[in-house]
Every structure is written in structure tokens, then in C-alpha cells.
Amino acid sequence: MNKIWTLFLIICFPVLLYSQDEMNSLLDELDATLDKSEFYHNKKEAEMNKLSSLLKLTSSNTQKYEIYQKLYNEYRAYQSDSALNYARRSLKVANTLKDLNKINTAKLNLASIMGTLGMYKEATDILNKVDINPTPEIKSFYYGVHSSIYLYMSEYAASNQEKNSYVQLTQQFRDSVFKYDPANSKSYVITQANKFFEKGQYDETLRMLQDYFPKMSNNDPDKAVVAYIISETYQRKKDFEQEKKWLIKSAISDLQLEKKEYISLRSLAFIMYKEGDIDRAYKYIKRSLEDALFCNARLRTYEISRMMPIINDAYQKQNDTNRHQLIVFLVSASILSLFLLVVLILLFKQMKKLSKAKKEISLANSQFIELNKELNSFNEKLNETNTTLKEANLVKEIYIGRYMDQCSVYISKLDEYRRKLNVIVSSGKTAELVKAVKSKEFIEVELKEFYHNFDKTFLLLFPNFIEEFNSLLTDNEDIKLKPGELMNTELRIFALIRLGISDSVKIAEFLRYSLSTIYNYRTKLRNKALGPRDEFEANVMRIGTNK
């Protein structure tokens, strides 16, 4: 059983969705038609002004009669007073023409519009004086006016007895209309459908009218009537969605043709009221009342006036509710806005504090970066100093070792030299002793060996000194060594400078040269420098620092 219900829902759900979409689309179309009321009003007025202008161009009573008839038909559901005026004019012209068909037609038009205006006695008096037998071609129209008049009277009746009597007369005259209507004519179809309706044959009513409705022109004033009868039939069948759908179609047709005397929009307003769509209900009933008053359709005005207070009261209650909700919303919005304002102020203050803190942090970061740079620079200098100290320690260690070794060698050599002199003295060779004492050979040999040891020790410490030193000089100014030389005087001067002995006096003493000679050597090589002269000796101090 559950599977059957599920399958039923699956099949019906799309149909329900389509039906709802169609209903919403029709309501939107109706609302759009109401919004364009000025357009339809101007169109209607233009048509009637065109007919009115034709009256000024003709002097023929026959043509005047035809124009009056057209104007009557235009005003009949638009403005009853004007329709009454043109019905009387057409009757006056018809009497002048002495055409019985035209006279009776004009009288029936006059009676019909009097019925719309609520002049039932005057209308029945005219109908009772019409001799319809000489004009059988308008008998259907004659009985149709009778039926309409008694239908109005039944709706206006103060008691059920009179109402039932008028309803019975309405049905009798409607049966007479059916006898004289041409088969399949519009009047025939509508009358036949009404008979089916009154007998409760609703499916037959719908079959007949729904087949006929698509064949009707959009400009046919009875199209709205057919749609209204279809909606009433669905109402009897308890199919309220279809009732509503056809009422909307009927109302759209009435409004587009600028008809002011109608039922559909008023009935639709009551449905909207029951469904809770108070805005639409009020809008529709208000428009219905305005049109009924404009047309001077007294029965419609009376019917609307009974319904108007109910819908108006609901509309006012809804407005009051909406107003109360709006006040609550505005108060809530004001409180919320105030709260948001306070939050924004606090947020703004917090942002200012944050901005200030960011600036302070940024400043601190800048200071930290500067300090970091200074620290890095200090570290680099410290590293250079450490390197220099390590280098100096290494130089000291090597040279101390060499110094002690050299001292030991010199002591041995002096002892040997002493023994040699002692032998010469012992042997009494005075002349040879004097010669030995005066000779510089011993010193020169020792100096040569001393400088050789210095060169060897220095190049042990700075093996690339000569290449790096030459790289500081301009092209073609490289120092060229003789075969067997480790270093020459120029290189020794700057080797001593590299070891930290920059005083020319000390260098002169160490190398056994005059101060001016040392100065000249230093000046000469500075002049050969590849870069700035003032930085030459500083660059020499950097030789070997990477290692």
C-alpha cells in the first residue's frame, strides 16, 4: 500500500508543481493588467472618441443609428449612464426611420441598460410594451433581456419568496432564448451551458464551454462571461483551484477590454481573502468598487459594498500588524544600530591602539635591525680581530721557535769562532788575528743565512704572498726574483709590514739599510699600486687573511 502511495505522489508531484506555476503566472498577468489600466482606459476612450467623431461627419439617420448602436455596445459594460443616453438616442432615430426592427432593438437595449442601472420597473414597463411578433429575428434577444432583468431582480430580492419567483421567471425566459437561438451560435452555447449547469450536469457544461472558449476572440466581450461560467461550474464540483484559475482568466479579459461591470474580480478578491492574501484581496475589491461606481452598476456596487467592509477590515488589521512589526523592526534596528555604533567606536579605538602598537613595533623592529646590523658589523670586526690574533699567535709561535733555534745556532757558531780565535792567539799569529777580526765575511754569511731563514719562515706562513703582492701592482710592474732567491729587499720590506712592523726605522735596522733607502722603496712600490696609493699598505696587510 505504501508503495502505491509513493508511486502516486511521484506521478502527481510534477503536476502539482506545474499547476502552482501556472496559477502564479496567471496572477502575475492579472496584476500586470491592473497596473496597465491607464493603457487600456486610453485605448477604450480612443475607440469611443473615434465613433463620436463619426457622428459629426454624417447627416444620415441610418448611419447615426448604427453609430449610436456601436456606442451603446461600447458603453454598455463601461459607463451605464452614457450607454443609457445612446440607447435613448438610437430609439429616437429609429422612431424617425419608422423601422420596427430598429425600434424594438433600441427598446430592448434601453430596457437592458436600465436593468444594469437598477431601474427594474422602467425596464419591465418597456419590455411589456414591446410587440415582438412582427420581428421574430430578435426574439432571442427579447427573451434574453427578460431573463437578465429577472436575474438581477432575483439577486436584489429582499425575501426568498420573491427571489424564487424571479429565478423561475429567469429560467422560463432562458428556455425561450434557447428556442430561438441559431444552433452553435454564441448565445446558443452559453444558454445551453447554463441549462446544463442549472440541472447539475457540470461535466457537460465544462465540455461544451471549454471546447468553445479557445475559439473566442480576445476582443469578444462574452469571453469573460464564458470563463466565469466555467469557474462557477468548478466551484460546484469543489475543484477550487480550477475555479480560481478560470476566475483569473475571466478577470483578465474584463480588464483588458476595459469593462467596468463584471463579477470575476470581485469573486476572486473573496477567494484571495479566504486564502490569506489580504493585499491582493484588498487591491481587487477596491478596483471592483471603483469600476462599479464609474459604471454606475448599482447591483454590482451593492454586492461589493457587502463584501468590502470584511476585506477592508482584514486589510486594516494586516496593516496594523505590519505597522506594529515595522515599529518593532525599527526599534530593533535602532538598538542594533546603536550597539553596532558602540562596537564600531570601541573597534576604532582598538584599531588606533593597534596602529600605535604596530608603529611602536615597527620602530622597535627598525631599531632592532639597526642594532643587528651593528652587531653583525661588530661580529665581522671581531672575527677579523680573532683571525688577526690567531695569525699573530701563529706568527709568534713560529718565529719564537725559529728565534730559539737560531739563537742556539748562533751560540754554537760564536763558540766555534771563539775557539778559532783562541787557536790563532795561542799560536802567536797576531797578524792573522787582526785580519780575522777586521773581516766582514763572517757577518755577511750569517746575515745571508739569517735573511734566507726569514724568507723561508715567512713564505711558510704566507705561501702565496709574492703572487698576491704582485696582484696589487699595475701590469708589467711585477717583482721578478733572481734564480735561487726566495724574496728580495722590496718583498722583505713589505713582508715585515705584513707582520705588523710598519716603522721604517725598525725595518731599516732589521735589513741593515738606511732609513732613506727604506722610505724610497716604500714610496716606489706605492706609486706602482693598482688601486689607490693610500690603501696599498692596508691591502698588503690583508694578504693571506682568507686563509
Side-chain angles (χ1 to χ4, degrees), residues 316-495:
Q316 292 301 326
K317 286 181 179 179
Q318 179 173 285
N319 280 348
D320 292 340
T321 302
N322 291 341
R323 193 179 298 109
H324 176 71
Q325 290 175 347
L326 180 61
I327 291 169
V328 171
F329 172 77
L330 288 174
V331 171
S332 302
S334 300
I335 294 170
L336 181 61
S337 299
L338 186 61
F339 174 74
L340 288 175
L341 183 62
V342 172
V343 170
L344 285 173
I345 292 170
L346 293 174
L347 184 62
F348 180 72
K349 289 183 177 179
Q350 194 65 28
M351 287 177 68
K352 285 182 70 177
K353 290 180 180 178
L354 184 61
S355 177
K356 185 178 179 182
K358 282 183 177 180
K359 288 180 180 178
E360 291 175 354
I361 291 171
S362 177
L363 181 61
N365 283 336
S366 300
Q367 293 174 347
F368 177 75
I369 290 169
E370 290 298 322
L371 289 172
N372 198 29
K373 287 180 180 178
E374 292 177 6
L375 182 60
N376 288 335
S377 177
F378 179 75
N379 285 336
E380 288 176 2
K381 291 178 181 179
L382 186 60
N383 288 333
E384 290 178 4
T385 304
N386 287 335
T387 302
T388 304
L389 289 173
K390 287 179 182 178
E391 185 181 284
N393 287 334
L394 179 62
V395 171
K396 286 176 181 179
E397 288 173 5
I398 292 173
Y399 272 96
I400 287 169
R402 291 282 180 174
Y403 172 75
M404 291 176 69
D405 183 58
Q406 197 69 32
C407 286
S408 177
V409 171
Y410 284 150
I411 290 169
S412 297
K413 285 183 177 183
L414 285 172
D415 185 53
E416 183 182 349
Y417 187 65
R418 180 188 62 76
R419 288 175 185 174
K420 183 180 179 181
L421 290 176
N422 188 38
V423 170
I424 293 171
V425 170
S426 298
S427 62
K429 297 178 181 179
T430 307
E432 189 177 342
L433 176 64
V434 172
K435 183 181 176 181
V437 171
K438 290 182 178 180
S439 177
K440 292 182 179 181
E441 183 183 354
F442 176 77
I443 297 301
E444 288 175 355
V445 171
E446 292 303 322
L447 280 174
K448 185 177 180 180
E449 186 179 352
F450 173 74
Y451 291 141
H452 179 75
N453 287 330
F454 172 79
D455 295 344
K456 187 166 62 174
T457 304
F458 182 81
L459 291 175
L460 177 66
L461 291 169
F462 303 99
N464 297 321
F465 177 77
I466 297 171
E467 290 82 356
E468 292 187 41
F469 184 80
N470 283 332
S471 69
L472 298 175
L473 303 176
T474 57
D475 296 340
N476 301 320
E477 295 294 339
D478 294 357
I479 294 174
K480 303 292 191 297
L481 295 173
K482 295 176 181 180
E485 280 186 332
L486 294 177
M487 288 197 298
N488 58 17
T489 302
E490 293 171 327
L491 289 173
R492 289 189 190 104
I493 291 169
F494 283 94

Side-chain angles (χ1 to χ4, degrees), residues 80-81 84 88 110-126 149 152-153 156 296 298:
S80 299
D81 293 337
L84 179 64
R88 283 172 173 164
L110 185 60
S112 178
I113 196 63
M114 284 180 172
T116 301
L117 289 165
M119 302 166 65
Y120 304 129
K121 181 181 183 305
E122 292 83 352
T124 53
D125 287 346
I126 291 172
I149 297 296
Y152 290 150
M153 293 173 69
Y156 234 140
N296 197 19
R298 294 181 183 177

